[in-house]
Amino acid sequence: MAVFTSVTEDDARALLQRYHLGDLVALRGITAGIENTNYFLDTTQGAYVLTLFEVLSAEQLPFYIELMHHLAGRGVPVPEPQTLLDGTRLTSLNGKPAAIVTRLSGGYEPEPGPAHCALAGQTLARAHLAAQDFPIRQPNLRGLDWWQATAPALAPFLDEGQAALLRNTLDEQIAFAATDAPAKLPFGPAHCDLFRDNVLFDGTFESPHMGGFIDFYFAGCDTWLFDVAVSVNDWCIHRATGAFVRRRLEAWLQAYHAVRPFTDEERAAWPAMLRAAALRFWISRLYDFYLPRPAQTLKPHDPRHFERILRLRTDQPAPALPRS
């Protein structure tokens, strides 16, 4: 969430004429993140987020917009895309595809405890089950094909050890994809980017309440186990080392399992999936760090963080998934 494309108050007022959302009260850019342009948009009728999409095309976007609409309609706490006067939920602004969604209450917890992890795990399982009948199918655009296409561009920036780690892990994932194992894993729409800063909480640290999941714009159809692996590689670790915090991890996985039990096939694939999730974000952070797009506000993440996590997931045994 950065500001790549400027939006003026006059732009926002003109945009609001396409909705039944009241008149503009305030407009403020959101400077964190690196993918889309986002603004807080306050009107006389409520609080919203305006997003201008910098990478995704208008043809790709219905999956994300309609998935959020689908989940919100089934009681999953996510931003609800607002419907325009013409009945659609996607428009354009300043030459970019754009959407307005409801702003959820609460804030993100930078150092979640077991209670936060349990709520996040439970809600992700609910989202997976609620999306089973979602009719639009779109692959995870940051999946294996993207890893293979992007890795060669990173070679000039890697030392010998890093290059070997990337190559060996990518080879493992290619080999895994060529087996019949992935087809046996539960599969469907997945968030694919459920880091701790993409979940909002109300309440207190000791007694948190789920505010909701945000930023669905890396979502895609993938194995649900990959979604879980992405999540716990961020939620359940010591930030400085990437090592798992056992109480957080157990709370997260048990809460998910209570809603959508893990299968034996998922237990067998779990170690490789943890490495896949670490690889995906190491590659993307390397790319954003060394080959960034120009932007008014750009804060690329340090890629060494996910290099450390990938090394740990390679060198240490994976924690077991819960059993019923």
Side-chain angles (χ1 to χ4, degrees), residues 263-314:
T263 67
D264 288 341
E265 291 80 6
E266 288 178 308
R267 292 186 185 90
W270 182 231
M273 203 63 68
L274 285 170
R275 290 189 288 274
L279 177 66
R280 178 264 187 260
F281 285 94
W282 187 35
I283 289 176
S284 64
R285 289 191 176 187
L286 283 166
Y287 189 86
D288 290 334
F289 191 85
Y290 290 111
L291 301 166
R293 299 188 313 276
Q296 286 178 283
T297 305
L298 187 62
K299 298 178 180 179
H301 297 288
D302 184 352
R304 292 174 295 179
H305 174 71
F306 271 100
E307 179 187 347
R308 287 191 293 270
I309 291 175
L310 180 55
R311 291 188 186 280
L312 283 174
R313 305 298 176 264
T314 302

Side-chain angles (χ1 to χ4, degrees), residues 2-315:
V3 177
F4 297 86
T5 301
S6 294
V7 176
T8 68
E9 291 188 357
D10 285 343
D11 292 332
R13 290 189 185 96
L15 177 64
L16 286 170
Q17 295 302 307
R18 306 177 212 168
Y19 294 85
H20 285 302
L21 296 179
D23 299 322
L24 180 68
V25 173
L27 181 73
R28 178 164 57 90
I30 305 173
T31 58
I34 60 175
E35 191 66 23
N36 295 315
T37 290
N38 287 271
Y39 283 84
F40 288 131
L41 177 69
D42 295 327
T43 78
T44 52
Q45 291 189 14
Y48 304 93
V49 174
L50 165 64
T51 298
L52 281 69
F53 300 96
E54 304 289 345
V55 176
L56 295 167
S57 69
E59 292 73 27
Q60 294 167 330
L61 281 164
F63 174 84
Y64 309 98
I65 300 300
E66 296 307 320
L67 177 59
M68 287 189 288
H69 179 71
H70 178 94
L71 292 174
R74 283 156 176 74
V76 180
V78 302
E80 184 172 3
Q82 298 300 286
T83 303
L84 289 99
L85 299 178
D86 65 4
T88 64
R89 282 176 279 276
L90 183 65
T91 186
S92 62
L93 182 62
N94 293 344
K96 302 292 174 62
I100 296 175
V101 303
T102 53
R103 190 191 316 171
L104 302 180
S105 62
Y108 101 91
E109 175 51 59
E111 287 299 329
H116 300 91
C117 293
L119 281 172
Q122 176 191 70
T123 305
L124 185 63
R126 287 178 54 209
H128 286 163
L129 294 177
Q132 287 182 104
D133 61 345
F134 183 61
I136 304 175
R137 285 292 179 263
Q138 181 169 288
N140 174 7
L141 300 181
R142 293 294 180 95
L144 179 60
D145 289 347
W146 185 82
W147 309 343
Q148 291 179 267
T150 305
L154 305 176
F157 308 106
L158 304 179
D159 63 30
E160 185 176 337
Q162 292 170 322
L165 178 64
L166 193 155
R167 182 177 59 254
N168 292 340
T169 310
L170 188 54
D171 286 347
E172 176 200 29
Q173 297 301 320
I174 293 169
F176 178 76
T179 70
D180 61 357
K184 298 177 180 178
L185 302 176
F187 181 95
H191 189 285
C192 298
D193 191 33
L194 196 69
F195 282 40
R196 60 186 79 180
D197 57 353
N198 282 334
V199 179
L200 305 179
F201 295 98
D202 284 319
T204 64
F205 183 87
E206 293 77 16
S207 184
H209 303 286
M210 175 57 64
F213 290 179
I214 62 173
D215 198 359
F216 275 76
Y217 302 114
F218 284 109
C221 292
D222 208 322
T223 64
W224 289 340
L225 190 65
F226 177 78
D227 216 8
V228 173
V230 166
S231 303
V232 302
N233 269 346
D234 181 71
W235 280 84
C236 306
I237 64 167
H238 293 285
R239 279 191 191 267
T241 66
F244 281 126
V245 179
R246 286 288 173 166
R247 289 184 65 236
R248 290 189 200 171
L249 182 64
E250 290 169 2
W252 212 107
L253 294 175
Q254 289 287 355
Y256 182 98
H257 180 69
V259 177
R260 206 281 294 174
F262 294 110
T263 67
D264 288 341
E265 291 80 6
E266 288 178 308
R267 292 186 185 90
W270 182 231
M273 203 63 68
L274 285 170
R275 290 189 288 274
L279 177 66
R280 178 264 187 260
F281 285 94
W282 187 35
I283 289 176
S284 64
R285 289 191 176 187
L286 283 166
Y287 189 86
D288 290 334
F289 191 85
Y290 290 111
L291 301 166
R293 299 188 313 276
Q296 286 178 283
T297 305
L298 187 62
K299 298 178 180 179
H301 297 288
D302 184 352
R304 292 174 295 179
H305 174 71
F306 271 100
E307 179 187 347
R308 287 191 293 270
I309 291 175
L310 180 55
R311 291 188 186 280
L312 283 174
R313 305 298 176 264
T314 302
D315 296 338

